[in-house]
Amino acid sequence: MFDVIMVPIDGSDYSFEAADFAIEIAQKFSSKIAAVHVLEEFSLNSFDSQEDSGDALLAKVTKKANDVGVEVVEHLLTADPLRDMKFIADQTRADLVVIHAHGANNNRFVSFDENEVSDTQIGSVSERLLRNSDVPVLLVK
C-alpha cells in the first residue's frame, strides 16, 4: 500500500515522534522510510555545521528503523521547508507523508478556521503540506 513513507526530521522531539509512527507503519506495510532533513537556505551557522547536525539527526532515525528491519533512505537537502515540502515529497516518491502537527519552529501556527482560535492549530509547514500534498498526509498530534 505504501512503498515509501516520507518523514521530515527537524531535530525536535515532535519530529522524532512522527518518525516513530512512520517506522511502525513501515513495519506493517513493508515500506521504506524517506527520512528528510532540510538545511536552511539562509543561516548564520556554517554549512558544514548544519550538514553535520543534519547527518546526525538522520542517522538517529536510520538506526531506530534499521533495528526493527525497516530500510531508510536519508535525504539531506538545502531548501525552504515552508515553500518546498510538497516538492520534496514528490522527489522522494512518497506514497505517504508522516509529519507532526508542530515542529522546531512551533511558534508559527495557523488554524483551519481563520475566524476562530482553537485547539486544531498546527505548524505552518504541516498546514501547507496538508493543503497542497498530492499524497496522503498523516498528521501526528
Side-chain angles (χ1 to χ4, degrees):
M1 179 174 220
F2 303 117
D3 292 327
V4 178
I5 301 171
M6 185 185 99
V7 61
I9 303 298
D10 62 12
S12 68
D13 290 341
Y14 297 124
S15 68
F16 288 113
E17 283 180 38
D20 290 343
F21 275 94
I23 291 166
E24 188 174 330
I25 294 167
Q27 281 182 282
K28 291 182 179 171
F29 290 100
S30 300
S31 308
K32 294 180 185 176
I33 298 284
V36 174
H37 179 74
V38 178
L39 304 175
E40 295 179 40
E41 288 179 310
F42 307 103
S43 175
L44 299 177
N45 299 324
S46 76
F47 181 78
D48 289 340
S49 167
Q50 283 191 72
E51 192 173 32
D52 291 345
S53 175
D55 284 337
L57 295 172
L58 293 173
K60 185 175 176 180
V61 172
T62 298
K63 180 179 179 350
K64 192 167 200 174
N66 289 170
D67 286 349
V68 295
V70 173
E71 182 181 343
V72 176
V73 178
E74 297 179 0
H75 300 271
L76 186 63
L77 309 165
T78 302
D80 176 349
L82 185 60
R83 180 190 71 214
D84 299 326
M85 199 55 69
K86 178 190 178 301
F87 176 75
I88 294 167
D90 292 343
Q91 293 302 301
T92 62
R93 299 179 188 250
D95 301 302
L96 173 69
V97 178
V98 178
I99 190 169
H100 202 282
H102 309 291
N105 295 323
N106 64 1
N107 58 342
R108 293 183 289 169
F109 295 103
V110 295
S111 177
F112 282 106
D113 183 353
E114 287 83 13
N115 299 319
E116 166 182 323
V117 175
S118 71
D119 292 335
T120 59
Q121 292 180 330
I122 62 171
S124 54
V125 173
S126 301
E127 186 272 340
R128 182 163 293 176
L129 188 59
L130 277 171
R131 290 187 189 270
N132 297 315
S133 178
D134 295 328
V135 299
V137 176
L138 174 62
L139 187 67
V140 177
K141 185 173 179 190

